[in-house]
Amino acid sequence: MKKELISRVEGHGSIGLKIKGSRVESVELDILTPPRLFEKLIVGRHFNDVPTIVSRICSICSASHRVISVMAIEDAFGVKVPREAVLLRELLLHAETLESHGLHLFLLALPDYYGYGSFVDMARDLPDAASLGFKVKGIGNRMQECVGGRAIHQITPVVGGMSAGPSSEGLKRIQQEAAPLIDEVLRFLSKEIPTLQYTPLVGVSNWVSLAGRDYGYTGGDILVNGKEKVPVRDFYQKFHESALPPSYTKHTLYGEEPFMVGALPRILNSGSKLKGSAGALLKRLGIMKSRSTYMNNMAQGVEILFSLERVVEIIGDLLDIDLPEGQDGGITAEFSPVAATGTAAIEAPRGMLIHTYTFDEKGYVTGGDITTPTAMNLSDMERTLMIMAEALIKDTTDIKPALETLVRAYDPCISCSVHIVRL
């Protein structure tokens, strides 16, 4: 068994290949980041503490973890959130998507397409690509600070709504910055970006995402392969988690099958709903026809445009509302805790994210489970790594770069995935 560390991904993982002669006997993607214990840390805590605790799972996906946490609690308590708060939460999720996709696509993945070892090497010859990545990531960070109160580990989403509103001046600055960035991103991604060498080798076999009436990151049922709908509260009846040592994470299967979550499954399930620049770029890139796993990177490019366009629209709507500003401008609904279980799903940048909690009658947690996108993708990553290794082992002296590029296409967030615990 030969272990290879993976570079340019979030967290620590390695690829293990068991090779006999010229035959690949097995592939393991080992998650080496230690257990995080969050699901046990929240037991016995009051519901008000939970969103702040679980947002520490990740510094990149902290907005998703906070928003989905309050949504799961609201599901348990039967809370109806004001429309203004729903719009602000959506704005926050688009901000996180811009930050995350901008970092991954332009600074971590594109060096693979242009044949560079890092974005620093790429920037010497292609400064526009790196510069655009920092612009997209930067506006995402500033939006999260404006709407969420902090660039990371945001504080404004609370059970019942939002604890504070952003300033109108801050929203106007973001809108003015986002509008011209739409054309800049569209021009760059409409260019002939080189095709990755092994793009035709690995395709998506099962794809899963939320799907509502419109393209988006919240709402709707879970949609499998564009056909089967699964209500969010039935997730644990259709999807199964299991511990597979030595990794410190769980593998998630749909029935007995691996599946993929992320930007590409969202596009495959709901891409026909995209309009504007995002819809035009989707048609140009041919993502729906290709269905290669590598197209997850280009699907993120389409979603950068989608998020920028929605940011401009949402801020336009919010500026037409007499929105309360600052710490005294909270937008919340009245509610009381009850003994119940709540489950909610959201589309984090890397894919579907599920939180579920059970509370006693005073609102204290008695149990919880968090299923992250990378935990869902783990078995599918091993499936495609096996296909790739078997195809390359006979004729390629060093298959490590190709395997690493494949893992990067999934945009794994390894720190988020390690939630296995036995106490």
XYZ file of all heavy atoms in Angstrom, residues 76-123:
380
model
N -37.440 22.453 14.136
C -37.893 21.767 15.349
C -38.958 22.575 16.088
O -39.947 22.017 16.569
C -36.697 21.509 16.271
N -38.774 23.889 16.171
C -39.667 24.737 16.970
C -40.837 25.314 16.157
O -41.674 26.031 16.704
C -38.883 25.889 17.598
C -37.799 25.447 18.563
C -36.794 26.326 18.946
C -37.787 24.160 19.077
C -35.796 25.920 19.835
C -36.793 23.741 19.956
C -35.801 24.618 20.332
N -40.860 25.029 14.846
C -41.945 25.533 14.010
C -41.915 27.036 13.823
O -42.969 27.693 13.836
N -40.744 27.612 13.608
C -40.591 29.065 13.488
C -40.741 29.499 12.028
O -40.141 28.893 11.131
C -39.197 29.514 13.997
C -39.082 31.039 13.926
C -38.971 29.016 15.415
N -41.527 30.535 11.777
C -41.666 31.122 10.445
C -40.831 32.404 10.397
O -41.107 33.347 11.134
C -43.130 31.428 10.115
C -43.341 31.922 8.690
C -44.818 32.057 8.372
C -45.030 32.634 6.974
N -44.388 31.868 5.916
N -39.841 32.431 9.545
C -38.856 33.530 9.506
C -39.345 34.651 8.593
O -39.865 34.379 7.498
C -37.496 32.992 9.007
C -36.463 34.106 8.959
C -37.027 31.860 9.916
N -39.194 35.945 9.001
C -39.601 37.064 8.141
C -38.862 37.061 6.802
O -37.710 36.649 6.723
C -39.216 38.295 8.975
C -39.139 37.808 10.380
C -38.690 36.389 10.306
N -39.541 37.540 5.757
C -38.970 37.526 4.403
C -37.649 38.291 4.328
O -36.704 37.866 3.649
C -39.974 38.143 3.416
C -39.428 38.275 1.988
C -40.488 38.807 1.025
N -39.930 39.038 -0.299
C -39.386 40.176 -0.693
N -39.364 41.211 0.148
N -38.879 40.318 -1.904
N -37.557 39.437 5.039
C -36.326 40.216 4.993
C -35.144 39.407 5.522
O -34.036 39.473 4.978
C -36.471 41.498 5.828
C -37.512 42.472 5.290
C -38.898 42.184 5.844
O -39.130 41.060 6.340
O -39.745 43.097 5.779
N -35.394 38.633 6.576
C -34.318 37.806 7.136
C -33.940 36.686 6.171
O -32.758 36.328 6.054
C -34.760 37.219 8.478
N -34.930 36.130 5.476
C -34.645 35.086 4.481
C -33.749 35.637 3.379
O -32.788 34.991 2.941
C -35.966 34.535 3.898
C -35.679 33.589 2.733
C -36.771 33.817 4.978
N -34.039 36.867 2.913
C -33.221 37.483 1.866
C -31.798 37.743 2.357
O -30.826 37.532 1.618
C -33.868 38.795 1.395
C -35.105 38.667 0.517
C -35.715 40.046 0.253
C -34.786 37.978 -0.809
N -31.652 38.211 3.592
C -30.314 38.474 4.123
C -29.519 37.177 4.267
O -28.318 37.139 3.986
C -30.425 39.185 5.479
C -30.859 40.654 5.412
C -31.133 41.188 6.805
C -29.779 41.493 4.733
N -30.186 36.110 4.702
C -29.484 34.823 4.795
C -29.059 34.350 3.403
O -27.959 33.814 3.225
C -30.381 33.777 5.453
C -30.630 34.001 6.930
C -31.562 32.923 7.468
N -31.910 33.142 8.864
C -32.737 32.360 9.553
N -33.289 31.310 8.963
N -33.005 32.603 10.816
N -29.942 34.527 2.412
C -29.574 34.120 1.047
C -28.368 34.919 0.560
O -27.452 34.376 -0.064
C -30.753 34.304 0.082
C -30.411 33.796 -1.324
C -31.499 34.037 -2.359
O -32.597 34.482 -1.988
O -31.238 33.797 -3.552
N -28.374 36.218 0.860
C -27.236 37.058 0.472
C -25.945 36.553 1.114
O -24.880 36.513 0.471
C -27.518 38.499 0.901
C -26.654 39.612 0.294
C -26.750 39.612 -1.217
C -27.070 40.971 0.860
N -26.037 36.145 2.367
C -24.863 35.626 3.074
C -24.352 34.339 2.422
O -23.137 34.128 2.293
C -25.225 35.393 4.540
C -24.106 34.959 5.484
C -22.983 35.988 5.503
C -24.647 34.729 6.889
N -25.273 33.467 1.991
C -24.861 32.220 1.352
C -24.219 32.477 -0.008
O -23.266 31.795 -0.400
C -26.067 31.287 1.209
C -26.678 30.795 2.522
C -27.914 29.943 2.257
C -25.656 29.996 3.337
N -24.728 33.452 -0.755
C -24.069 33.805 -2.022
C -22.666 34.361 -1.752
O -21.731 34.099 -2.520
C -24.903 34.830 -2.785
C -26.122 34.243 -3.435
N -26.053 33.332 -4.478
C -27.440 34.409 -3.183
C -27.275 32.971 -4.838
N -28.140 33.617 -4.064
N -22.529 35.127 -0.682
C -21.204 35.661 -0.333
C -20.225 34.524 -0.072
O -19.082 34.532 -0.564
C -21.325 36.553 0.905
N -20.660 33.524 0.699
C -19.782 32.393 0.996
C -19.440 31.615 -0.276
O -18.303 31.167 -0.463
C -20.465 31.471 2.001
C -19.606 30.277 2.395
C -20.381 29.326 3.284
O -21.281 28.615 2.780
O -20.098 29.316 4.477
N -20.415 31.460 -1.165
C -20.161 30.748 -2.424
C -19.118 31.486 -3.253
O -18.218 30.862 -3.835
C -21.473 30.607 -3.215
O -22.395 29.826 -2.446
C -21.232 29.923 -4.556
N -19.216 32.820 -3.319
C -18.231 33.586 -4.085
C -16.839 33.426 -3.473
O -15.847 33.235 -4.194
C -18.633 35.062 -4.121
C -19.889 35.370 -4.946
C -20.324 36.819 -4.732
C -19.638 35.113 -6.434
N -16.755 33.494 -2.156
C -15.455 33.340 -1.490
C -14.872 31.953 -1.767
O -13.708 31.812 -2.151
C -15.622 33.532 0.015
C -14.353 33.289 0.811
C -14.608 32.592 2.135
O -15.784 32.383 2.468
O -13.645 32.247 2.805
N -15.703 30.912 -1.592
C -15.220 29.533 -1.699
C -14.915 29.151 -3.146
O -13.853 28.601 -3.449
C -16.273 28.581 -1.104
O -15.818 27.250 -1.137
N -15.864 29.423 -4.065
C -15.643 29.079 -5.474
C -14.502 29.911 -6.072
O -13.732 29.408 -6.896
C -16.919 29.331 -6.284
C -17.979 28.280 -6.125
N -17.842 27.202 -5.281
C -19.202 28.140 -6.729
C -18.939 26.444 -5.366
N -19.779 26.990 -6.233
N -14.415 31.194 -5.682
C -13.325 32.032 -6.212
C -11.974 31.475 -5.826
O -11.038 31.417 -6.644
N -11.850 31.038 -4.572
C -10.592 30.442 -4.106
C -10.304 29.140 -4.848
O -9.200 28.941 -5.367
C -10.681 30.178 -2.603
C -9.554 29.341 -1.984
C -8.234 30.085 -2.061
C -9.882 28.977 -0.534
N -11.283 28.245 -4.910
C -11.015 26.920 -5.473
C -10.799 26.968 -6.976
O -9.813 26.418 -7.489
C -12.166 25.960 -5.159
C -11.917 24.593 -5.707
N -12.504 24.136 -6.869
C -11.100 23.598 -5.301
C -12.072 22.917 -7.127
N -11.224 22.569 -6.193
N -11.717 27.622 -7.703
C -11.619 27.575 -9.158
C -10.365 28.290 -9.665
O -9.570 27.715 -10.421
C -12.873 28.195 -9.794
C -12.840 28.320 -11.323
C -12.670 26.959 -11.981
C -14.104 29.002 -11.836
N -10.180 29.527 -9.252
C -9.122 30.347 -9.841
C -7.741 30.076 -9.236
O -6.734 30.176 -9.939
C -9.460 31.831 -9.694
C -10.585 32.271 -10.579
C -11.883 32.344 -10.097
C -10.352 32.606 -11.902
C -12.925 32.746 -10.913
C -11.388 33.009 -12.733
C -12.691 33.079 -12.237
N -7.683 29.751 -7.944
C -6.373 29.673 -7.287
C -5.920 28.246 -6.996
O -4.717 28.013 -6.844
C -6.414 30.481 -5.982
C -6.814 31.955 -6.176
C -6.895 32.671 -4.838
C -5.839 32.666 -7.098
N -6.841 27.283 -6.917
C -6.451 25.896 -6.625
C -6.619 24.968 -7.826
O -5.776 24.098 -8.063
C -7.258 25.352 -5.439
C -7.134 26.124 -4.127
C -7.948 25.466 -3.029
C -5.673 26.254 -3.697
N -7.700 25.140 -8.608
C -7.969 24.217 -9.715
C -7.363 24.678 -11.038
O -6.803 23.867 -11.782
C -9.479 24.020 -9.870
N -7.485 25.951 -11.389
C -7.001 26.408 -12.705
C -5.521 26.125 -12.957
O -5.139 25.874 -14.106
C -7.290 27.896 -12.896
C -8.678 28.274 -13.428
C -8.723 29.758 -13.787
C -9.075 27.438 -14.643
N -4.631 26.136 -11.945
C -3.245 25.737 -12.226
C -3.154 24.345 -12.855
O -2.257 24.100 -13.676
C -2.583 25.776 -10.840
C -3.330 26.837 -10.108
C -4.756 26.679 -10.564
N -4.074 23.423 -12.522
C -4.087 22.108 -13.164
C -4.374 22.245 -14.659
O -3.785 21.552 -15.489
C -5.157 21.210 -12.533
C -4.792 20.771 -11.119
O -3.598 20.604 -10.849
O -5.712 20.591 -10.294
N -5.296 23.117 -15.021
C -5.691 23.275 -16.425
C -4.557 23.866 -17.259
O -4.382 23.505 -18.418
C -6.920 24.186 -16.531
C -8.201 23.537 -16.073
C -8.464 23.323 -14.722
C -9.165 23.132 -16.990
C -9.634 22.719 -14.305
C -10.349 22.535 -16.581
C -10.573 22.336 -15.224
O -11.728 21.733 -14.823
N -3.803 24.798 -16.661
C -2.741 25.477 -17.419
C -1.365 24.848 -17.190
O -0.368 25.339 -17.707
C -2.700 26.964 -17.049
C -3.886 27.736 -17.593
C -4.958 28.075 -16.769
C -3.933 28.110 -18.937
C -6.041 28.782 -17.265
C -5.018 28.822 -19.444
C -6.070 29.157 -18.607
O -7.145 29.855 -19.105
N -1.293 23.744 -16.413
C -0.037 23.022 -16.258
C 0.940 23.642 -15.286
O 2.161 23.504 -15.452
N 0.446 24.298 -14.241
C 1.322 24.891 -13.228
C 1.152 24.141 -11.899
O 0.099 23.559 -11.627
C 0.993 26.365 -13.024
C 1.286 27.221 -14.230
C 0.280 27.532 -15.141
C 2.575 27.710 -14.471
C 0.544 28.315 -16.262
C 2.847 28.489 -15.589
C 1.823 28.786 -16.467
O 2.098 29.550 -17.573
N 2.197 24.215 -11.065
C 2.154 23.538 -9.782
C 1.421 24.300 -8.713
O 1.055 23.726 -7.679
N 1.199 25.593 -8.907
C 0.497 26.412 -7.916
C 0.001 27.684 -8.589
O 0.418 28.014 -9.713
C 1.426 26.780 -6.755
O 2.386 27.719 -7.188
N -0.873 28.432 -7.888
C -1.350 29.686 -8.471
C -0.237 30.726 -8.518
O -0.272 31.642 -9.339
C -2.568 30.207 -7.702
C -2.257 31.000 -6.463
C -2.036 32.371 -6.516
C -2.178 30.367 -5.232
C -1.759 33.099 -5.378
C -1.893 31.086 -4.084
C -1.675 32.457 -4.153
N 0.756 30.588 -7.644
C 1.883 31.528 -7.676
C 2.642 31.369 -8.995
O 2.977 32.363 -9.667
C 2.827 31.285 -6.478
C 4.041 32.205 -6.567
C 2.064 31.509 -5.174
N 2.917 30.116 -9.384
C 3.576 29.875 -10.671
C 2.691 30.350 -11.821
O 3.173 30.946 -12.792
C 3.876 28.379 -10.834
C 4.867 27.875 -9.796
O 5.687 28.693 -9.322
O 4.801 26.678 -9.448
N 1.381 30.067 -11.726
C 0.453 30.468 -12.790
C 0.399 31.991 -12.934
O 0.329 32.525 -14.049
C -0.941 29.914 -12.487
C -1.997 30.230 -13.540
S -3.636 29.567 -13.110
C -4.123 30.698 -11.784
N 0.442 32.688 -11.797
C 0.289 34.142 -11.814
C 1.429 34.841 -12.549
O 1.253 35.950 -13.068
C 0.193 34.673 -10.385
